[in-house]
Amino acid sequence: MPPPPAQETAPPAPAEQAAPAEEATATEEAPASQPVLNPSAPQKYVVQRGDTLWDIASKFLRDPWYWPEIWYVNPQIENPHLIYPGDTLSLGVGANGQPLVSLTRGADARMSPQMRGTDLADAIKAIPYEVVAAFMSKPSVLEKEQTKTLPYVLAARDQHIVAGVGSEVYAMNLSGEQNSRYNIVHVGDPLVDPENGDVLGYQGIYTASARVMRPGSPAKLALTESARETRAGDLLIGDSLDVPLDFVPHAPGHDIKGIIMSVIDGVANFGAYQVVVVNRGSADGLEPGHVLGVYQHGDAARDPTRGAFGYNVRLPDEHVGTFMVFKTYERLSYGLIMESDHPLHLGDLVGNP
């Protein structure tokens, strides 16, 4: 994300006034317009269980989001987009001189159509499954529309005001069958777009897990796990993970600029493998797999050559990390910080890598 253009203002007359900041002019390394190999890229790599597509792309490329441009899709291999443990990836050069990576299926080097006994679930994921699963299984962000349409707790049995483990509750608008499971979430503080003040969603505070004992209207559920009190009005969300992780890391094809507006767990400083929420979504062209850079506003520094009360200079915005989208709504998205070389904060910017 380039710094704003240079702008200089005259120093103030009174010594007590703070000097306005002028913009620094700096030239940062331009992003690559084509894939650049990692200097330590292997000629061959055997995929290991626990690898992610991001890990593998990072072994071959300086910028992993260029993976689609070097991936050679062999039409003779069944499901060539999927990579499994035991497969061998080989680095070569295409006809245009660009690097490419081709695949040989594990335990069978024949380049011919073949059936695969391994379940599709064994294919490697783009990002760590366990991190996303832990986040999605106990939702901590609610889209604005969800708060209007999700099933909700009507009351606890025996007129209790709050419910915990072992308690029974009644819920409205629940279509789940007997023994289906749900998470119960309390609606917390609003997520406000820092650019225009719009409410895009709400913090979701996990209160309990529940099992349907008797379907109906209202349905009856038993609380099987509890983190805090469950109250009337709390929302119910299915506990199944609805985020496919078979997408491919890639850069957006258009300009994206947004802001990190929430971090899960509410920590002040965060870094790699932390789930964050940004104020851009599908309406802005974001999709799962999009990779964005994370940038921090440049500080203001006094120029010592201008005297004791000379001009301030605003330093350039700095690239401090990389963010990958894994789920989008209309106006907000969840993503995972893939790497960072500096502590990140709420309000940091995201933009094209």
Side-chain angles (χ1 to χ4, degrees):
M1 184 174 294
Q7 183 178 357
E8 184 174 303
T9 58
E16 303 81 59
Q17 287 185 309
E22 67 175 358
E23 304 294 342
T25 57
T27 302
E28 297 187 13
E29 181 182 357
S33 59
Q34 60 185 18
V36 176
L37 285 179
N38 185 330
S40 59
Q43 290 299 310
K44 291 183 181 295
Y45 177 72
V46 178
V47 179
Q48 307 296 310
R49 193 168 296 278
D51 281 347
T52 65
L53 187 52
W54 181 268
D55 296 333
I56 293 172
S58 298
K59 292 181 185 298
F60 288 97
L61 291 172
R62 186 190 72 183
D63 304 316
W65 52 90
Y66 280 106
W67 182 256
E69 299 192 28
I70 72 166
W71 179 240
Y72 171 66
V73 178
N74 190 326
Q76 294 179 301
I77 296 180
E78 185 184 16
N79 294 328
H81 289 287
L82 299 179
I83 303 175
Y84 297 87
D87 289 348
T88 298
L89 304 181
S90 301
L91 179 63
V93 179
N96 58 357
Q98 294 289 329
L100 61 81
V101 173
S102 57
L103 176 148
T104 302
R105 285 290 185 220
D108 190 347
R110 293 177 302 150
M111 303 301 284
S112 59
Q114 52 187 290
M115 295 298 291
R116 185 176 185 88
T118 306
D119 188 83
L120 293 180
D122 289 343
I124 66 165
K125 307 297 188 291
I127 53 181
Y129 175 84
E130 62 277 6
V131 175
V132 177
F135 164 68
M136 294 302 295
S137 65
K138 293 178 171 59
S140 43
V141 174
L142 297 167
E143 193 192 22
K144 188 175 180 179
E145 289 305 311
Q146 285 182 300
T147 63
K148 303 175 184 178
T149 59
L150 285 172
Y152 59 92
V153 174
L154 176 66
R157 188 176 177 180
D158 298 328
Q159 298 183 345
H160 291 167
I161 298 176
V162 298
V165 173
S167 299
E168 296 174 355
V169 298
Y170 301 97
M172 297 297 291
N173 302 335
L174 189 70
S175 58
E177 300 178 352
Q178 187 170 354
N179 292 324
S180 56
R181 296 184 176 276
Y182 289 84
N183 290 307
I184 302 178
V185 179
H186 180 73
V187 180
D189 294 335
L191 293 171
V192 178
D193 190 326
E195 294 181 325
N196 54 31
D198 289 351
V199 175
L200 304 185
Y202 295 87
Q203 299 284 358
I205 303 170
Y206 169 79
T207 70
S209 297
R211 175 179 58 85
V212 176
M213 299 176 64
R214 184 181 65 224
S217 183
K220 181 180 176 182
L221 300 93
L223 303 191
T224 58
E225 178 185 330
S226 181
R228 55 175 290 166
E229 299 90 350
T230 294
R231 299 175 178 270
D234 290 346
L235 305 179
L236 287 86
I237 302 177
D239 71 348
S240 60
L241 180 64
D242 64 346
V243 179
L245 300 181
D246 57 354
F247 50 77
V248 176
H250 58 290
H254 58 288
D255 287 340
I256 292 285
K257 294 181 180 179
I259 299 174
I260 295 177
M261 57 187 299
S262 177
V263 56
I264 307 312
D265 298 333
V267 293
N269 299 325
F270 53 93
Y273 295 130
Q274 197 84 30
V275 176
V276 300
V277 184
V278 299
N279 64 335
R280 294 291 182 268
S282 57
D284 306 289
L286 278 186
E287 63 186 28
H290 269 160
V291 176
L292 301 174
V294 182
Y295 303 85
Q296 289 180 343
H297 290 292
D299 295 327
R302 185 179 62 81
D303 186 343
T305 67
R306 304 289 184 94
F309 303 101
Y311 300 108
N312 285 337
V313 177
R314 184 184 164 210
L315 303 178
D317 294 344
E318 293 287 350
H319 180 278
V320 290
T322 307
F323 164 85
M324 190 193 299
V325 176
F326 65 77
K327 185 174 180 63
T328 61
Y329 293 98
E330 184 178 6
R331 296 183 62 191
L332 59 81
S333 297
Y334 305 145
L336 194 65
I337 301 295
M338 301 306 302
E339 56 193 19
S340 66
D341 55 19
H342 196 274
L344 309 182
H345 311 94
L346 289 179
D348 284 349
L349 311 175
V350 294
N352 296 60

